[in-house]
């Protein structure tokens, strides 16, 4: 959707170093965050409080970091997750000394307020993913996106997350500049059914993972007659927003789903121990997306596709000491880059539109 694209037209896409441990690293060191969401047998009441026993046992994610992975945000944000056979549950604690919001219309451009955003790609192919934005008034904007914005895409603004439940608790006073607030909490339940691709599909990801990320948009503010507004510079232009995320992207663009975090939905009950290790084939996928981005850059400069892997990378592609031998095949409509996984023997493929598949 054009409105959503505006969010990125004024942002400088900058490569940067970052660290999930708050120390400088190169962009090649980016590793997505992981989280094990446990199954709960408890009835979860969506009231923004998360006072159920299951929530008390669930672990917090790391505090959010700036989207480029370099700067520690001024205010803390963290998330917990649970699931059952009906819902994916998310609870977030948002530290904010001035809680304000004024957008009340459903499917308005919620990120013009401070907000919390959820991104979900169930099958991890970077296509057909879901975005939900919610502000401190519990106003929702839900979207379905066919492709990342780097390709010509369709954004369904009239998409509805049928059965979505959400609730906000303000820890302080909303829209009151005369005091200092603690922040706000948001509790969400997303029905698994919204992720179905066919009527009879069982979309519950038991002992499987989804690619997921969370973003918090935060604006500098000004006060006019006791009301909060997004702050402008001396030329009357809005100052850029802050983008604080769970799993860093390395650039100012949330719409690179291949860099989102991994949420593993363990069938073990909350309180039991389970572990998730990112599969090696996922690491191969990261390398394929590097080649895809290099190919786009090559085309931008040379006005044609490269016809050999050597044009795209100066060094061998390795994963856990295994050397990969990707094959680049061009055709009338673009290209495919494929590689056989030495770990699973599957053929992993990416095309000119960044569509990933395995077979």
């Amino acid at each position: 959707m054009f409105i959503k694209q505006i969010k990125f037209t004024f942002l400088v896409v900058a490569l940067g170093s970052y660290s999930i441990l708050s120390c400088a690293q190169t962009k090649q060191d980016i590793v997505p965050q992981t989280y094990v969401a446990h199954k709960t047998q408890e009835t979860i009441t969506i009231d923004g409080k998360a006072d159920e026993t299951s929530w008390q046992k669930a672990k917090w994610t790391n505090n959010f970091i700036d989207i480029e992975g370099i700067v520690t945000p001024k205010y803390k944000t963290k998330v917990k997750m649970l699931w059952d056979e009906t819902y994916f549950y998310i609870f977030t604690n948002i530290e904010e000394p001035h809680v304000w919001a004024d957008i009340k219309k459903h499917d308005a451009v919620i990120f013009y307020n401070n907000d919390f955003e959820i991104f979900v790609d169930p099958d991890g192919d970077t296509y057909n993913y879901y975005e939900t934005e919610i502000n401190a008034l519990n106003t929702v904007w839900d979207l379905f996106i066919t492709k990342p914005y780097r390709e010509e895409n369709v954004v369904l603004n009239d998409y509805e997350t049928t059965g979505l439940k959400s609730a906000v608790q303000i820890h302080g006073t909303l829209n009151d500049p005369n005091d200092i607030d603690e922040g706000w909490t948001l509790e969400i339940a997303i029905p698994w059914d919204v992720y179905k691709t066919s009527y009879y599909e069982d979309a519950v990801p038991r002992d499987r993972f989804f690619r997921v990320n969370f973003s918090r948009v935060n604006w500098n503010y000004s006060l006019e007659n006791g009301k909060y507004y997004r702050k402008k510079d001396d030329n009357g232009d809005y100052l850029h927003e802050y983008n604080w995320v769970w799993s860093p992207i390395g650039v100012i663009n949330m719409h690179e789903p291949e860099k989102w975090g991994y949420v593993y939905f363990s069938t073990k009950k909350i309180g039991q121990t389970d572990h998730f290790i990112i599969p090696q084939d996922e690491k191969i996928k990261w390398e394929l997306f590097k080649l895809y981005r290099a190919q786009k850059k090559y085309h931008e400069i040379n006005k044609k596709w490269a016809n050999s892997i050597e044009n795209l990378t100066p060094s061998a592609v390795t994963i856990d000491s295994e050397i990969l031998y990707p094959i680049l095949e061009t055709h009338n409509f673009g290209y495919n880059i494929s590689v056989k996984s030495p770990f699973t023997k599957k053929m992993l493929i990416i095309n000119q539109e960044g569509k990933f598949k395995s077979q």
Side-chain angles (χ1 to χ4, degrees):
M1 184 181 64
F2 178 71
I3 289 177
K4 190 60 178 176
Q5 288 176 303
I6 291 174
K7 186 175 183 182
F8 301 105
T9 56
F10 66 87
L11 296 177
V12 178
V13 178
L15 299 180
S17 60
Y18 88 104
S19 169
I20 57 176
L21 300 176
S22 299
C23 61
Q25 294 180 321
T26 66
K27 187 172 182 291
Q28 284 73 23
D29 292 323
I30 289 177
V31 177
Q33 293 281 335
T34 64
Y35 186 91
V36 176
H38 286 272
K39 188 174 185 179
T40 178
Q41 304 295 328
E42 189 175 11
T43 299
I44 303 296
T45 301
I46 304 303
D47 55 11
K49 297 179 181 179
D51 48 8
E52 290 87 358
T53 301
S54 295
W55 278 131
Q56 299 303 312
K57 291 181 178 180
K59 294 181 179 180
W60 289 107
T61 62
N62 293 340
N63 287 322
F64 284 22
I65 192 159
D66 182 79
I67 191 169
E68 293 179 278
I70 304 170
V71 179
T72 299
K74 187 174 183 179
Y75 308 124
K76 294 179 180 179
T77 315
K78 54 187 178 180
V79 171
K80 293 182 176 185
M81 288 168 266
L82 295 168
W83 68 280
D84 60 21
E85 290 294 313
T86 306
Y87 294 104
F88 175 22
Y89 299 104
I90 300 161
F91 180 79
T92 182
N93 187 76
I94 300 168
E95 183 182 280
E96 176 59 69
H98 291 277
V99 181
W100 65 275
D102 59 8
I103 297 174
K104 300 179 180 179
K105 183 179 178 181
H106 178 69
D107 281 346
V109 185
I110 300 301
F111 66 78
Y112 287 165
N113 283 171
N114 295 340
D115 77 353
F116 183 78
E117 303 181 357
I118 304 160
F119 299 83
V120 178
D121 180 8
D123 61 8
D125 68 353
T126 76
Y127 274 44
N128 300 321
Y129 60 90
Y130 305 80
E131 177 179 355
T132 306
E133 303 187 8
I134 304 177
N135 67 7
L137 285 169
N138 198 28
T139 307
V140 176
W141 184 16
D142 41 8
L143 305 154
F144 179 83
I145 302 168
T146 60
K147 304 177 188 178
Y149 288 91
R150 60 198 173 208
E151 302 291 342
E152 184 176 344
N153 67 355
V154 175
V155 178
L156 300 180
N157 188 50
D158 58 354
Y159 165 79
E160 292 298 320
T161 311
T162 304
L164 174 74
K165 299 179 182 180
S166 62
V168 169
Q169 288 288 325
I170 307 298
H171 301 278
T173 52
L174 181 66
N175 293 327
D176 185 353
N178 298 310
D179 62 1
I180 299 298
D181 306 314
E182 293 181 19
W184 52 294
T185 53
L186 171 63
E187 188 176 17
I188 303 158
I190 303 174
W192 295 121
D193 282 353
V194 304
Y195 302 129
K196 284 184 175 182
T197 58
S198 62
Y199 184 81
Y200 292 105
E201 179 184 359
D202 182 358
V204 183
R206 304 172 192 88
D207 294 322
R208 294 190 293 114
F209 65 81
F210 279 3
R211 299 304 299 273
V212 175
N213 214 346
F214 305 105
S215 173
R216 172 183 174 181
V217 172
N218 198 265
W219 298 88
N220 289 314
Y221 68 87
S222 61
L223 290 171
E224 298 178 26
N225 299 319
K227 185 176 179 180
Y228 292 96
Y229 294 92
R230 288 183 290 154
K231 192 171 184 177
K232 297 181 179 180
D233 61 21
D234 293 338
N235 296 319
D237 298 320
Y238 289 112
L239 297 177
H240 290 181
E241 82 275 26
Y242 297 100
N243 296 274
W244 301 331
V245 304
W246 171 47
S247 195
I249 305 298
V251 295
I252 306 175
N253 182 359
M254 279 301 295
H255 294 268
E256 295 195 356
E258 69 274 12
K259 298 178 183 177
W260 294 351
Y262 292 81
V263 176
Y264 178 76
F265 297 95
S266 171
T267 53
K268 292 187 177 180
K269 297 178 182 179
I270 186 69
Q272 295 180 326
T273 300
D274 204 351
H275 301 281
F276 171 73
I277 298 174
I278 297 173
Q280 285 120 323
D281 277 11
E282 288 295 304
K283 299 175 185 178
I284 296 177
K285 184 192 297 186
W286 305 343
E287 296 301 320
L288 288 176
F289 273 100
K290 288 180 185 178
L291 294 173
Y292 157 78
R293 286 189 284 272
Q295 180 72 295
K296 286 182 76 71
K297 187 66 175 179
Y298 185 95
H299 191 277
E300 179 183 328
I301 295 171
N302 299 286
K303 311 306 177 186
K304 63 179 181 179
W305 298 118
N307 57 18
S308 72
I309 293 296
E310 289 73 21
N311 293 138
L312 303 180
T313 179
S315 58
V317 180
T318 61
I319 299 293
D320 295 341
S321 300
E322 291 281 350
I323 299 176
L324 306 182
Y325 299 95
I327 298 170
L328 171 57
E329 300 171 289
T330 58
H331 50 78
N332 289 339
F333 303 102
Y335 66 88
N336 290 324
I337 301 176
S338 60
V339 63
K340 187 174 183 178
S341 167
F343 309 108
T344 64
K345 308 307 177 184
K346 291 181 178 179
M347 187 64 70
L348 309 180
I349 305 166
I350 194 167
N351 70 8
Q352 72 280 351
E353 294 185 319
K355 179 68 179 289
F356 174 85
K357 65 178 179 178
S358 63
Q359 58 187 34

